[in-house]
Amino acid sequence: MRHLLDTTDLSLEEIDTMIATAMDIIENKDKYAHICDGKKLATLFFEPSTRTRLSFEAAMMELGGNVLGFSEAASSSASKGESVEDTVRMVSCYADIIAMRHPLEGAPRVASFKSSVPIINAGDGGHSHPTQTLTDLLTIYREKGRFDNLTIGLCGDLKFGRTVHSLIKAMCRYKNVKFVLISPKELSVPDYIKSDVLDKSGHPYEEVEKMELVMDKLDILYMTRIQRERFFSEDEYLKHKDAFVLDLKKLENAKSDLTIMHPLPRVNEIATEVDDDPRAKYFVQALNGKYIRMALIKTLLEWGGII
Ligand code: CP
């Protein structure tokens, strides 16, 4: 049995196969409509979510399976003090696979030690969000047709943005990928990502504080929200909340085939006028999340001998 706790749990070949499965699901939905008949997905969300939880649930339903779970810790026995270990030990008696989001970094890994079914990390604190990264990879593949020879700008809260950390780890496995890290100094990529991932892999990166300075060289612009819930004080959040707002003027020098991505939710870091620009792909990206999660559920259940 395998879990998905971090994107690097998957080999490049496994990611390629998962992307190919998602592409086949997009083309041939009927073929997959009953592969999870009689199986159950539990969504244990100790933190708020719209896209991840609902796309997981839609994914399982479109595979013929059923879903159960909770959308906030307050409606589970965690509010009475039950540990993650005990919660998961119980839920793995009720479901065939579990998607779990938790504010504590490493909580899904702890859960995996006690679970008798596959655990999927649906986001743990500021650490990692591997199914968002698979979503991002499917989006990059559909838009660019490749993962190598790309210049990727990552903009916003690069300190707390777990989607950014996961995507850098994933893209550092491909050749000739350059990173442009666009953030205020206080919200720059954590040192461990620079030393253990970027420096170790030898991928070039530069850090800038203004997106206008680098817009013309980007193939992908990955915008992120300032993560209000992870700041220690409201004043600190307010200082940074409008640090970057992408609008049509800032896109004047951008490539005509730029791909604009955002894991969403958006607060105000992309003006709504950008939504109609053909380069804006963030809503397609959210749809891709359902297809790649269908491919992931199928793959983990097959690896576990459950389907
Ligand atoms: N992208 C993402 O994780 O969105 P949700 O928080 O709505 O799940």
Side-chain angles (χ1 to χ4, degrees), residues 45 48-53 101 122 129 132 162-163 225 262-265 293:
F45 276 60
S49 166
T50 296
R51 269 146 301 276
T52 310
R53 186 172 64 84
R101 172 171 288 189
H129 193 347
Q132 180 64 49
R162 59 193 172 197
T163 62
R225 162 180 81 88
H262 190 312
L264 305 177
R293 290 180 175 106

Side-chain angles (χ1 to χ4, degrees), residues 165-178:
H165 307 161
S166 286
L167 186 59
I168 291 174
K169 278 191 216 168
M171 292 306 294
C172 271
R173 300 165 89 187
Y174 298 99
K175 289 198 180 84
N176 196 25
V177 174
K178 298 183 188 122

